[in-house]
């Protein structure tokens, strides 16, 4: 699966990589519909995984289309409509909920460990491999191989107070 | 249920609908997998009808049903879809899987097929809307993880309590089982005055007082059921309070039988008010006491079983409801025989359950049996007959037999308007359901009229905030909204698309 390394081990965003993600978005969505700072966040929340980038972008577009319809119905102006922070937040919420309904207690423990140590206790454990396969955990490689969680999963675990 | 909560559900569903609609539109010509989650048949039917109508005539729409023996998504789609462009296909039938208990492999087969599906679906360049009940969402994500990862969107609709099937709540008030005087003979004033005397004579905690509290509560419950409350909020609140007091005293005095009845009645009260979660523990307790005190085969147990089952059914817990209905039916048959109205009541309710889980032919048989019994034993104009007619009509409606449904609704309405008055919930239900039929068959003006009438009745007898009133109002607003959309849809298409590829 094509992947772009976005994050160092300090969890800071790598500019070259995020630029690339923004470019990919730009090719698909006009800049007056998707402002630069929102595009950056879409990239950040994708964890560097192409499919997730597209998924988030698609959900944002979907919500914008909904707003378009609602404004049309109320005969309001659609002139300055764009994918703003509110739309992005809602999109992320929707996707986060979708993702995390499937997580069991064991899954959460494994994810917590992986987050804290950048690797799971047992990388061969079937549950971990399933989480990896389904992009709840992501494998990265710069000078070495390491693991992190999907940013939306991180958000969820923070909300559940499982990680600080 | 507070007003804020109910409005939020309706609004959330409306937004979810919009999300689904725009997704289908934007997905025309692409293979898109949309997972739509809904537990209420009629609600689902309405949503599908609405988006099909809004997409027509440019978009070809298909509806397919999963085969229960071989529930393959690909197979269902392939068997019906001919036009492969400018089309959308809606897949139904998942709601009937996995309901038969331990040996039911249908669900696992379904997941197995899904897991290997994607390549096979590539030939269908169109949005596929797969409808599933909420109980299998999590399992689907677990057991078909690859299919789950290919999802292009998940659309979860919250169940709005629907005015579909009338479950006849069994309080034994019909007079079939008890030797007590029906409450309607005495007025509230008389009972209240007796209550005051009883308290003065025997003290607050006597069984005479408990009996009167329970009686007054029942009277209000009965009146609520037939739309005859004068000051609804006050009277319901009094009923609730009195039942609780009766329960309190009965518990202290260990009057088990009376306690079971009062628990049942308070549960029935909560259920009619839409407070299902509060009703459950009461009905469960009532059943437990009845089973223990009067035996597993007694009439009181049958009543408790029926009411708990009805509660589970309204909560969507179908597999829990079925055995309870069956037990209740068995007891009635044993105690009263096959042709008694009490048996007919159970037949109706079991049929209603089967209808909810798609077992249509079985439901039809039971409804017809129940109808037969009522007509023979009580005459064609008995109020409960109206309920069964309504339910059978809805069944025909769900299975596309519109021509057969309509006369039944008409009959049902005639009975309820005549026998129960224009202010009865049963009348409102018939009006609402009939309006739904009109809507499905394109007779929008009539539909609007009937919905409006139903809303008026419900606001009167149940209040603005009651879930049923809200549902009916949403039906009306939904109709009006979708009609106004159809006329503006042309202008929306001209707006230009956001490229999602």
């Amino acid at each position: 699966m094509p992947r772009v390394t976005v994050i160092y081990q300090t969890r800071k965003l790598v500019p070259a990589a995020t630029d690339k993600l923004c470019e990919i978005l730009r090719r698909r969505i006009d800049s007056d519909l998707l402002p630069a700072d929102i595009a950056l966040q879409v990239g950040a929340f994708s964890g560097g995984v192409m499919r997730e980038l597209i998924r988030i972008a698609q959900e944002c577009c979907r919500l914008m289309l909904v707003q378009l319809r609602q404004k049309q119905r109320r005969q309001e102006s659609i002139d300055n409509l764009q994918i703003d922070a509110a739309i992005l937040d809602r999109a992320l919420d929707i996707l986060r909920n979708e993702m995390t309904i499937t997580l069991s207690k064991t899954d959460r423990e494994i994810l917590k460990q992986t987050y804290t140590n950048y690797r799971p206790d047992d990388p061969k454990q079937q549950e971990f491999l399933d989480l990896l396969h389904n992009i709840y955990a992501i494998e990265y490689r710069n000078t070495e191989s390491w693991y992190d969680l999907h940013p939306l999963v991180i958000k969820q675990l923070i909300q559940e107070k499982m990680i600080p | 249920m507070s007003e804020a909560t109910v409005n939020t559900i309706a609004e959330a569903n409306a937004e979810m609908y919009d999300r689904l609609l725009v997704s289908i539109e934007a997905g025309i010509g692409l293979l898109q997998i949309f997972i739509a989650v809904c537990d209420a048949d009629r609600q689902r039917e309405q949503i599908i009808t609405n988006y099909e109508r809004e997409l027509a005539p440019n978009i070809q729409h298909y509806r397919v049903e999963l085969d229960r023996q071989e529930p393959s998504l690909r197979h269902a789609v392939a068997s019906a879809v001919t036009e492969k462009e400018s089309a959308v296909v809606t897949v139904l039938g998942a709601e009937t899987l996995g309901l038969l208990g331990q040996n039911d492999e249908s669900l696992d087969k379904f997941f197995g097929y899904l897991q290997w599906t994607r390549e096979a679906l590539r030939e269908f360049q169109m949005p596929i809307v797969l409808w599933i009940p909420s109980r299998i969402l999590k399992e689907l994500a677990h057991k078909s993880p690859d299919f789950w990862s290919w999802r292009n969107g998940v659309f979860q609709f919250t169940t709005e309590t629907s005015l579909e099937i009338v479950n006849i709540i069994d309080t034994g008030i019909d007079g079939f089982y008890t030797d007590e005087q029906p409450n309607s003979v005495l007025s509230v004033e008389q009972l209240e005055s007796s209550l005051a005397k009883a308290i003065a004579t025997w003290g607050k905690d006597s069984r005479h007082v408990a009996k009167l509290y329970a009686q007054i509560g029942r009277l209000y419950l009965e009146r609520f059921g037939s739309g005859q409350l004068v000051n609804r909020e006050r009277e319901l609140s009094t009923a609730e309070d009195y039942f609780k007091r009766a329960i309190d005293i009965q518990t202290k005095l260990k009057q088990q039988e009376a306690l079971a009845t009062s628990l049942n009645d308070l549960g029935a009260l909560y259920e009619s008010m839409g407070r299902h979660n509060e009703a459950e523990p009461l009905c469960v307790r009532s059943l437990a006491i009845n089973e223990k005190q009067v035996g597993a085969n007694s009439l009181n147990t049958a009543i408790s079983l029926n009411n708990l089952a009805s509660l589970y059914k309204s909560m969507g817990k179908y597999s829990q409801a079925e055995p309870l209905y069956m037990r209740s039916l068995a007891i009635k048959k044993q105690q009263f025989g096959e042709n008694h109205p009490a048996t007919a009541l159970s037949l109706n309710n079991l049929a209603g359950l089967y209808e909810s889980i798609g077992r249509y032919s079985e439901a039809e048989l039971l409804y017809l049996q129940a109808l037969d019994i009522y007509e023979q034993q009580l005459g064609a104009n008995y109020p409960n007959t109206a309920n069964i007619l309504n339910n059978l009509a809805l069944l025909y409606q769900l299975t596309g037999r519109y021509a057969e449904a309509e006369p039944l609704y008409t009959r049902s309405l005639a009975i309820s308007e005549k026998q129960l008055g224009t202010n009865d919930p049963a009348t409102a239900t018939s009006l609402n359901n009939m309006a739904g039929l009109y809507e499905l068959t394109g007779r929008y003006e009539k539909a609007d009229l009937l919905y409006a009438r139903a809303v008026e009745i419900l606001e009167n007898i149940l209040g603005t905030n009651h879930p049923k009133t809200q549902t009916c109002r949403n039906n009306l607003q939904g109709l009006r909204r979708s009609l106004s959309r159809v006329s503006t849809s042309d202008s929306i298409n001209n707006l230009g698309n956001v490229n999602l590829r």
Side-chain angles (χ1 to χ4, degrees), chain A residues 96-119:
Chain A
R96 181 171 50 83
N97 278 326
E98 255 175 50
M99 278 190 82
T100 52
I101 50 166
T102 64
L103 293 178
S104 69
K105 193 160 179 236
T106 317
D107 289 336
R108 284 177 159 81
E109 285 305 322
I110 296 175
L111 290 169
K112 178 178 173 174
Q113 253 164 37
T114 311
Y115 176 83
T116 318
N117 303 323
Y118 295 100
R119 70 176 8 90

Side-chain angles (χ1 to χ4, degrees), chain A:
Chain A
M1 172 154 310
R3 198 166 294 132
V4 176
T5 307
V6 174
I7 303 166
Y8 268 143
Q9 276 187 324
T10 53
R11 291 205 170 89
K12 282 223 201 93
L13 299 177
V14 176
T18 51
D19 281 350
K20 186 143 194 184
L21 291 175
C22 286
E23 195 194 308
I24 293 170
L25 288 174
R26 187 71 57 240
R27 268 193 254 135
R28 287 163 162 77
I29 307 174
D30 250 19
S31 52
D32 57 341
L33 290 173
L34 178 63
D37 59 332
I38 305 290
L40 204 69
Q41 288 200 59
V42 174
F45 275 99
S46 70
V49 180
M50 202 57 56
R51 193 178 68 193
E52 296 303 300
L53 184 75
I54 301 300
R55 199 192 292 285
I56 299 173
Q58 191 174 36
E59 190 62 52
C60 288
C61 290
R62 179 175 292 155
L63 291 175
M64 207 188 79
L65 281 173
V66 170
Q67 271 198 18
L68 256 164
R69 282 197 158 243
Q70 290 171 343
K71 285 197 185 292
Q72 255 276 325
R73 222 176 284 144
R74 301 194 283 254
Q75 297 181 319
E76 289 170 12
S77 154
I78 55 166
D79 280 340
N80 294 321
L81 210 53
Q82 45 172 217
I83 297 175
D84 56 14
I87 288 184
L88 177 65
D89 275 345
R90 178 101 182 89
L92 293 176
D93 268 348
I94 289 172
L95 294 176
R96 181 171 50 83
N97 278 326
E98 255 175 50
M99 278 190 82
T100 52
I101 50 166
T102 64
L103 293 178
S104 69
K105 193 160 179 236
T106 317
D107 289 336
R108 284 177 159 81
E109 285 305 322
I110 296 175
L111 290 169
K112 178 178 173 174
Q113 253 164 37
T114 311
Y115 176 83
T116 318
N117 303 323
Y118 295 100
R119 70 176 8 90
D121 246 9
D122 177 7
K124 295 292 186 203
Q125 187 183 5
Q126 189 56 46
E127 282 88 342
F128 175 73
L129 292 174
D130 287 342
L131 289 169
L132 195 62
H133 183 71
N134 293 323
I135 323 280
Y136 289 86
I138 306 175
E139 184 180 347
Y140 294 99
R141 217 168 276 178
N142 31 15
T143 50
E144 53 181 87
S145 219
W146 51 284
Y147 301 93
D148 200 357
L149 305 187
H150 189 302
L152 288 178
V153 174
I154 294 178
K155 206 170 182 204
Q156 179 71 19
L157 292 183
I158 289 177
Q159 200 170 67
E160 292 179 8
K161 299 200 178 8
M162 282 199 76
I163 56 186

Side-chain angles (χ1 to χ4, degrees), chain B residues 134-192:
Chain B
S134 60
R135 64 183 162 85
I136 74 173
L137 179 61
K138 212 166 155 172
E139 235 186 310
L140 187 151
H142 262 130
K143 296 198 177 164
S144 316
D146 289 348
F147 179 80
W148 177 247
S149 72
W150 302 322
R151 72 190 186 282
N152 294 105
V154 179
F155 306 86
Q156 299 189 60
F157 294 92
T158 315
T159 302
E160 297 170 37
T161 354
S162 159
L163 276 184
E164 328 169 333
I165 299 158
V166 183
N167 270 331
I168 304 173
I169 295 180
D170 211 341
T171 53
I173 282 174
D174 283 355
F176 296 136
Y177 337 117
T178 69
D179 294 325
E180 285 176 28
Q181 283 287 348
N183 274 321
S184 35
V185 170
L186 298 165
S187 74
V188 173
E189 291 72 30
Q190 288 172 315
L191 288 171
E192 287 274 12

